DNA sequence: ACTATTTGACCGAG
DNA sequence: CTCGGTCAAATAGT
């Protein structure tokens, strides 16, 4: 917990620093010929930084409560799932009672598992709404119509649940109010090999994650890798939400709130400022939470595709798969050591 | 053959 | 009882 708070602290500091930097940039750019939207985006970025900082502080305030919870049910915490390495349950006992208890266990675990929510906005321009990536391999195991919700909720679990005992799950639901937004609820931390790697090589390039199943034929909608490469970059975080009191370990939300609430205006944003702006966020993300693959899709720079066709054409389009492949190429490319966050990536051939 | 998805059934919580 | 979450058989895709 102490380490986690240390981690949160650095995240907090980074958020504040980032907010300050953007504010500074905004100040410097006040008289620059940038669009109002670009400036608005910066303001929102600043606000977002402060919001996150406050969020971290608030979450930390509830740490004591969570600690109590952890002590009450230590074996159920993510990272020590049942029947995996180091399981507190003896194998013989486990085998005997598994069938009977697993269900109850799951139900109990469901309550205790850390849970956090995100929203991503998917541009309709992409033609790939519903598909998104977060760096993990998910397997869909259910879909449910939710009372009062327009769209069904999809349930995913880690592909490696059986092989590696990874109990991470997520739920994906399209927002009623704004169909371009997907609410994603994550439960449990990845204990699989993916959980140790923020960046993973893509696996099965054909798979598409479509949480809606609303007859969206992704391959028909847009089949070219170019389009998919574009798509990954129109993903953007709308807002980040945490369920207070349910977070049993620090979730270092990446400082990539660059997409916050301003996604519609991409086309109006001058590419230069946008690049620098988003790159900064991405850089920060990579720096802050290198082992938090949940953040990977946040790292998708919300560039406007039209302005970056040339660039994206040069990106190895590793995923026609939405489910299995994160945005690895981006994260590699944007290693903070290698790239100055203010480096103008709209330089032709930058990605090549 | 193997893996992933779909979808109705089932179960526990409230 | 309803509802949300999960299971698992059937089905589809490779």
């Amino acid at each position: 917990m102490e380490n986690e708070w240390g981690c949160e602290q650095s995240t907090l500091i980074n958020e504040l620093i980032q907010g300050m930097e953007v504010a500074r940039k905004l100040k410097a750019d006040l008289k620059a010929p940038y669009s109002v939207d670009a400036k608005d985006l910066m303001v929102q970025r600043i606000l977002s930084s402060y919001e996150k900082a406050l969020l971290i502080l608030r979450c930390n305030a509830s740490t004591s409560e969570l600690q109590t919870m952890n002590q009450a049910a230590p074996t159920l915490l993510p990272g020590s799932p049942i029947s995996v390495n180091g399981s507190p349950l003896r194998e013989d006992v486990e085998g005997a009672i598994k069938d009977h208890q697993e269900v109850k266990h799951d139900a109990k675990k469901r309550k205790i598992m850390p849970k956090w929510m995100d929203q991503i906005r998917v541009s309709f321009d992409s033609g790939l709404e519903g598909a998104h990536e977060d760096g993990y391999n998910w397997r869909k195991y259910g879909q449910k119509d939710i009372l009062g919700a327009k769209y069904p909720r999809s349930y995913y679990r880690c592909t490696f649940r059986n092989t590696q005992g990874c109990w991470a799950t997520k739920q994906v639901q399209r927002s009623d109010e704004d169909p371009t937004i997907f609410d994603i609820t994550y439960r449990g931390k990845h204990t699989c090999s993916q959980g140790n790697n923020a960046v993973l090589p893509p696996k099965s390039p054909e798979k598409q994650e479509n949480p809606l199943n609303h007859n969206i034929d992704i391959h028909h909608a847009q089949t070219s890798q170019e389009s998919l490469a574009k798509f990954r970059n129109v993903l953007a975080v709308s807002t980040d939400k945490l369920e207070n009191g349910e977070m049993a370990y620090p979730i270092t939300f990446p400082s990539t709130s660059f997409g916050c609430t301003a996604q519609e205006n991409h086309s109006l944003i001058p590419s230069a400022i946008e690049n620098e702006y988003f790159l900064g966020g991405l850089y920060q993300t990579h720096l802050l939470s290198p082992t938090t693959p949940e953040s990977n899709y946040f790292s998708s720079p919300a560039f406007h595709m039209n302005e970056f066709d040339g660039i994206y054409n040069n990106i190895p389009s590793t995923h026609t798969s939405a489910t299995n492949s994160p945005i690895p190429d981006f994260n590699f490319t944007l290693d903070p050591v290698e790239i100055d966050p203010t480096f103008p990536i709209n330089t032709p051939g930058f990605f090549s």
Side-chain angles (χ1 to χ4, degrees), chain A residues 60-131:
Chain A
N60 192 66
S62 61
T63 295
S64 56
E65 179 190 334
L66 293 163
Q67 269 178 321
T68 307
M69 197 165 70
N70 292 356
Q71 284 160 6
T75 66
L76 298 175
L77 286 172
S80 49
I82 59 170
S83 73
V84 204
N85 301 336
S87 166
L89 292 174
R90 291 196 326 237
E91 273 186 27
D92 50 347
V93 177
E94 188 185 334
I97 64 177
K98 189 181 172 187
D99 289 343
H100 182 66
Q101 288 207 335
E102 204 161 70
V103 175
K104 285 186 179 178
H105 219 73
D106 281 351
K108 196 176 176 183
K109 186 168 57 185
R110 205 178 303 147
K111 274 192 167 182
I112 295 171
M113 274 221 205
K115 176 175 149 187
W116 63 98
M117 298 172 69
D118 297 321
Q119 289 184 328
I120 66 165
R121 183 188 292 261
V122 179
S123 166
F124 278 123
D125 293 344
S126 71
L128 291 171
E129 63 267 35

Side-chain angles (χ1 to χ4, degrees), chain A residues 24-186:
Chain A
R24 233 182 252 143
K25 183 183 290 296
L26 181 62
K27 186 188 172 191
D29 291 344
L30 269 179
K31 292 178 182 177
Y34 297 131
S35 71
V36 174
D37 296 296
K39 289 172 180 170
D40 185 55
L41 196 63
M42 289 177 137
V43 171
Q44 295 198 25
R45 178 66 191 89
I46 295 165
L47 290 174
S48 173
S49 280
Y50 285 121
E51 278 171 12
K52 286 188 175 183
L54 287 170
L55 193 64
I56 290 168
L57 286 171
R58 268 190 242 123
C59 286
N60 192 66
S62 61
T63 295
S64 56
E65 179 190 334
L66 293 163
Q67 269 178 321
T68 307
M69 197 165 70
N70 292 356
Q71 284 160 6
T75 66
L76 298 175
L77 286 172
S80 49
I82 59 170
S83 73
V84 204
N85 301 336
S87 166
L89 292 174
R90 291 196 326 237
E91 273 186 27
D92 50 347
V93 177
E94 188 185 334
I97 64 177
K98 189 181 172 187
D99 289 343
H100 182 66
Q101 288 207 335
E102 204 161 70
V103 175
K104 285 186 179 178
H105 219 73
D106 281 351
K108 196 176 176 183
K109 186 168 57 185
R110 205 178 303 147
K111 274 192 167 182
I112 295 171
M113 274 221 205
K115 176 175 149 187
W116 63 98
M117 298 172 69
D118 297 321
Q119 289 184 328
I120 66 165
R121 183 188 292 261
V122 179
S123 166
F124 278 123
D125 293 344
S126 71
L128 291 171
E129 63 267 35
H132 68 275
E133 305 172 14
D134 53 20
Y136 289 114
N137 291 357
W138 299 102
R139 177 168 179 161
K140 187 173 183 176
Y141 66 87
Q143 179 173 307
K144 197 79 179 170
D145 286 322
I146 301 302
L147 200 73
K150 249 188 247 178
Y151 306 99
R153 179 178 299 166
S154 296
Y155 300 88
Y156 297 84
R157 66 181 183 217
C158 180
T159 302
F160 304 111
R161 165 171 281 197
N162 296 327
T163 56
Q164 298 181 32
C166 180
W167 286 83
T169 63
K170 75 169 178 180
Q171 300 172 3
V172 179
Q173 181 156 32
R174 177 175 274 198
S175 168
D176 284 346
E177 300 82 33
D178 188 347
T180 66
I181 290 179
F182 291 88
D183 293 316
I184 303 177
T185 303
Y186 292 94

Side-chain angles (χ1 to χ4, degrees), chain A residues 134-135 194-200 286 289-293 296 326 331:
Chain A
D134 53 20
Q194 292 182 108
N196 302 321
N197 303 298
V199 177
L200 290 166
H286 193 64
S289 49
T291 57
T292 312
N296 282 1
N331 282 286

Side-chain angles (χ1 to χ4, degrees), chain A residues 188-209:
Chain A
K189 189 179 180 179
H190 280 271
T191 58
C192 59
S193 55
Q194 292 182 108
N196 302 321
N197 303 298
V199 177
L200 290 166
K203 203 177 151 190
S204 57
E206 280 309 308
K207 241 177 67 181
Q208 289 287 350
E209 174 175 321

